[in-house]
Each structure stands twice: as structure tokens, then as C-alpha cells.
Amino acid sequence: MNYSDKQETDPELVDNLLSELKKKYSLTGQSLTDNLEGLLHANYLKYWNYVHLDTLLSLQNPRTDFPDEMIFIVYHQVTELYFKLILSEIEQIATEENITADFFITKLKRINLFFQILTFSYDTMIEGMDVKQFRQFRMALLPASGFQSAQIRKIEIWATDFINLVNKKHKSSFAPNDEISDMFQYIYWKAGATDDTTGEETITSKHFQEKYKTDFILLGEATRTNNLWQIYLKLVPQPATTDTQKEQMKEALRKFDTLMNVDWRLAHFKSAVRYLKNGDGTIDATGGTNWQKYLPPRFQKVIFYPELWAEDEINEWGKKWVDKQ
């Protein structure tokens, strides 16, 4: 029952609240009176305690004395918090009983909003740091890299059938129902941290997989039937789903696909160009990633929902933006 619209002095409101509180606190083995007295003695909740502000502001620990390293740390921490919000929304979609098209659309719009914010926020990285400082403090960060963000990999796994994350050179060798562990050997992002000549993966990639490989494979198996694409496929044929809702779901998924696999990646690429492009040459990323081939969507061509795109759209995936740079 929602009591927010009722007057505090409404006798019915008071009686109902007391009845429900008595039922709730009976589980503690103490009387309602005892629990109400506890509330009387409890301190007020304060903002800084609620958000753990002191702890939050103590989590930035630069490794150098360059002041702009603080910007670098805070930006990545904020990004990870937005990834957490996105995963929360996806998991709500996946666990919703009797999910409806409206619920799916509402949550996906929220996910898209978060990714729009992340994309626009790259200006913090692009314009917000001194290039000279960045090139100096980054050397103290080796071999750590944003490449090692587990949350972004989990978002990808939740987003689509795992086969769509397989490197495009190997994708045709697999079927959607093949073992996730087999497909994982050729997941697209490994190519970004592998020496083209020797085929050896960087220590950054090895560390990352040592920590998260098992989690990623288990998540891939667990989301075979309830990733965003599979839920969409279940909702489309339902009698309760209208044509308008079908179109809204389709457009929301297309926007998510574009935001994550084109706009956000290209914003990252633009940031890398600013800091790692040096005259006619380039500087290696901290994790040894081949960022010039790994970041631009036209090379990796990761597409979550190829069924929702026309052939010419797939062929031009990410090209127009890069050609303008």
C-alpha cells in the first residue's frame, strides 16, 4: 500500500501502519514498542554516511606526483560505476518474471542513457588532461590497462549471443550452440592484446584472463537463453506485444548496439589519438594493446544484433566517423 498521498493524521493510515509494523517486527522476537523505541534512539541518516563519502574520496591513490593523474583515476572509477548501473539494469531485465515489452523498452532506454553519458564524458579524457603529464605518469601504470575492465566484458556477454563476440576471422567456424569455452579462445578483444608477428598475448591480457576467464565462460553459459537478444526474440511473437512496441524494442537495441560498439569505442579512439599519436608515429598503450586496430569499430566490427541491420549498414560499420577524423 502507498501511504505517501495520505494525511499523517488519517486514523486509517495510522492503524494500517501500526498493524504492518507489528507484523514486520514480530519476526525479531521483540515487541513493536521495543522496536519503535529503537527508532526513537537511532541517529538521523546523513548524506555523507549514506554515500560513504569519506571512503569514496579516499579511493584515489595516484602513483605519481603529476596532478592530472587524479583526473585519469576519477574518470575510470566513474566509468566503472556507470558500468555497474548498466549491469544492474540488464540483470533486472533478465530476472523479471513475466517480462513485458514495456519493461524491456524502459530498461533498455535507461541503459542507452547511461552509455550516452559515458560517450559524452570522454571529453573529460580528450580535453581534460595535459598531454605531457599523461605521457609521463602513464609509464608508472604499466602494465595495467582499461583493457582489463571486467564489467564491460560482462555487459557484452549479457548483450548478445556469445558467437557475436568471436573474432570475425574465426566466427564462421562456430555455431551459436557450441561450447562457450571453445568460442572464448577466439573472443574478439584478445586480438587487441596479441602480437601480430609472434601470436603471443601481452602480460596484460594474461593477467586479465587469469582473474576473470572462468567467470566470463560461466556467464556465457548462464546467459544463453536470457541475454538481451534472446529476451527480445521471446517478446516479439507474444500476442500482447504490439507492432509499436516491436518497433520500439528494435530501435532501442539498434541504439544500444551503436552506442556501445560505435560511438563509445570511437570516443575512446579519439582520446587515444590525442594522447598516443606523436607526430607521424604512435605510442604503445599501457597494456600493450594495438589500439589503432583494436578500438576502431570498422576493424573489429563487433555487432550485437546483425539481424537488425541491413547489409550496407554492416559493411559501413564505424567507417564514416573515422573517415572524418
Side-chain angles (χ1 to χ4, degrees):
M1 182 180 294
N2 184 0
Y3 298 106
S4 60
D5 295 330
K6 294 197 173 188
Q7 296 295 320
E8 291 182 6
T9 56
D10 184 341
E12 182 184 1
L13 168 64
V14 175
D15 288 343
N16 285 337
L17 280 173
L18 288 173
S19 176
E20 291 188 23
L21 284 171
K22 185 175 182 179
K23 185 186 302 182
K24 174 181 178 179
Y25 287 125
S26 66
L27 299 176
T28 68
Q30 301 293 325
S31 70
L32 173 60
T33 302
D34 290 338
N35 281 279
L36 289 176
E37 184 178 354
L39 290 176
L40 179 64
H41 298 313
N43 292 324
Y44 287 111
L45 178 65
K46 302 174 182 70
Y47 169 78
W48 49 90
N49 291 331
Y50 180 65
V51 300
H52 297 280
L53 186 61
D54 291 340
T55 300
L56 181 65
L57 298 181
S58 73
L59 297 177
Q60 295 75 45
N61 300 290
R63 294 174 62 87
T64 73
D65 292 328
F66 295 104
D68 280 7
E69 188 185 350
M70 181 65 73
I71 298 170
F72 191 76
I73 294 173
V74 170
Y75 178 79
H76 282 83
Q77 289 178 336
V78 169
T79 297
E80 290 292 342
L81 289 174
Y82 269 103
F83 287 163
K84 184 173 183 176
L85 292 178
I86 291 166
L87 282 169
S88 175
E89 297 300 321
I90 293 176
E91 289 168 9
Q92 288 178 62
I93 293 173
T95 57
E96 177 71 6
E97 294 184 13
N98 303 315
I99 187 170
T100 64
D102 280 341
F103 186 87
F104 184 85
I105 294 164
T106 298
K107 292 297 181 181
L108 201 51
K109 283 183 176 180
R110 190 178 295 178
I111 291 167
N112 288 340
L113 172 62
F114 294 153
F115 255 110
Q116 282 180 310
I117 294 170
L118 284 172
T119 300
F120 293 143
S121 73
Y122 254 110
D123 284 346
T124 303
M125 290 281 284
I126 296 169
E127 304 294 341
M129 293 189 301
D130 179 80
V131 174
K132 185 177 179 180
Q133 284 190 40
F134 173 79
R135 290 180 180 173
Q136 290 178 295
F137 75 66
R138 64 185 292 275
M139 304 313 297
L141 311 183
L142 300 172
S145 169
F147 176 92
Q148 295 173 315
S149 170
Q151 289 196 114
I152 193 64
R153 306 307 173 201
K154 291 179 180 180
I155 291 170
E156 291 174 333
I157 294 170
W158 273 109
T160 185
D161 290 342
F162 202 93
I163 193 170
N164 292 321
L165 304 179
V166 173
N167 188 299
K168 63 181 182 180
K169 295 179 181 178
H170 302 279
K171 188 175 180 180
S172 62
S173 301
F174 294 97
N177 292 326
D178 284 348
E179 293 293 328
I180 299 296
S181 57
D182 292 337
M183 289 190 279
F184 181 83
Q185 298 307 312
Y186 301 97
I187 198 164
Y188 83 92
W189 46 258
K190 284 189 182 183
T194 302
D195 188 294
D196 290 337
T197 304
T198 65
E200 182 74 11
E201 288 187 54
T202 65
I203 191 66
T204 299
S205 181
K206 290 178 180 178
H207 286 168
F208 185 48
Q209 292 179 69
E210 285 172 6
K211 182 168 179 61
Y212 293 113
K213 177 181 176 180
T214 300
D215 292 344
F216 292 154
I217 291 173
L218 290 174
L219 182 61
E221 292 290 355
T223 58
R224 280 187 184 273
T225 60
N226 66 338
N227 61 59
L228 293 182
W229 176 245
Q230 290 299 322
I231 292 173
Y232 166 77
L233 292 180
K234 293 172 186 175
L235 285 170
V236 167
Q238 288 185 5
T241 304
T242 67
D243 289 341
T244 299
Q245 289 171 327
K246 291 175 186 178
E247 187 62 26
Q248 288 176 335
M249 287 193 297
K250 176 182 175 181
E251 288 308 309
L253 285 174
R254 280 168 55 96
K255 186 171 184 177
F256 176 48
D257 210 349
T258 305
L259 279 169
M260 187 166 176
N261 291 320
V262 179
D263 298 342
W264 181 72
R265 295 181 193 277
L266 287 170
H268 191 175
F269 177 68
K270 187 176 180 181
S271 173
V273 168
R274 171 168 168 77
Y275 294 104
L276 300 179
K277 188 80 171 174
N278 189 11
D280 295 330
T282 59
I283 301 171
D284 290 338
T286 53
T289 54
N290 187 351
W291 60 271
Q292 287 184 296
K293 290 185 178 180
Y294 170 66
L295 292 176
R298 59 177 176 162
F299 296 140
Q300 293 290 340
K301 197 166 282 191
V302 178
I303 304 176
F304 292 154
Y305 314 113
E307 297 88 347
L308 301 183
W309 298 97
E311 184 177 354
D312 63 318
E313 291 175 316
I314 292 175
N315 291 336
E316 294 296 313
W317 194 257
K319 283 185 179 181
K320 294 179 181 179
W321 192 99
V322 174
D323 291 342
K324 293 178 182 179
Q325 302 309 300

